[in-house]
Amino acid sequence: RFIDQLLRLYASFAYIFINDIIIFSDTIDKYTKYLETIFSLFKKKNISIVLAKLYIVYPSVELLSFYIDRFRLINIEYYIATFRNFAFLNNLKALE
């Protein structure tokens, strides 16, 4: 696809999945620089962005059954299954 070819040079900070472009960084300064780079490229190539679908500087996000934040990548399904299999106590005597 066109967008895959266009952003191939930016794979170190941009990931393309279907119709989404995910830009990531470990600092806000780099993140801003990366956004400027991609937005400038889009402007040069006359590619428009739907503002209603634009999400910038999210501290965490859920993507493809994963919860992603600056500290970790967690498979959400694993935690759901763990919680479902958790054995709850039926009465207070069981605590003793």
Side-chain angles (χ1 to χ4, degrees):
R1 292 185 1 200
F2 172 73
I3 200 73
D4 294 320
Q5 295 295 324
L6 184 65
L7 296 180
R8 180 173 285 162
L9 293 174
Y10 308 101
S12 64
F13 62 85
Y15 181 77
I16 298 97
F17 180 77
I18 304 177
N19 292 330
D20 298 320
I21 300 168
I22 303 163
I23 300 172
F24 48 89
S25 174
D26 56 352
T27 68
I28 193 69
D29 292 332
K30 285 183 188 176
Y31 186 68
T32 304
K33 178 184 167 198
Y34 297 157
L35 287 174
E36 288 174 359
T37 300
I38 298 300
F39 290 161
S40 295
L41 176 65
F42 283 10
K43 185 176 181 179
K44 179 179 173 185
K45 297 292 184 177
N46 201 26
I47 298 171
S48 61
I49 298 171
V50 178
L51 293 179
K53 294 184 176 184
L54 186 64
Y55 302 97
I56 297 179
V57 189
Y58 268 59
S60 64
V61 65
E62 287 185 30
L63 293 170
L64 306 172
S65 297
F66 287 92
Y67 172 82
I68 305 163
D69 67 15
R70 61 186 272 183
F71 300 111
R72 63 190 174 262
L73 173 88
I74 301 169
N75 183 316
I76 296 168
E77 295 300 322
Y78 169 78
Y79 283 96
I80 292 171
T82 300
F83 184 75
R84 284 186 180 145
N85 295 327
F86 188 76
F88 289 95
L89 303 175
N90 293 333
N91 56 51
L92 292 176
K93 287 249 187 225
L95 288 175
E96 297 174 357

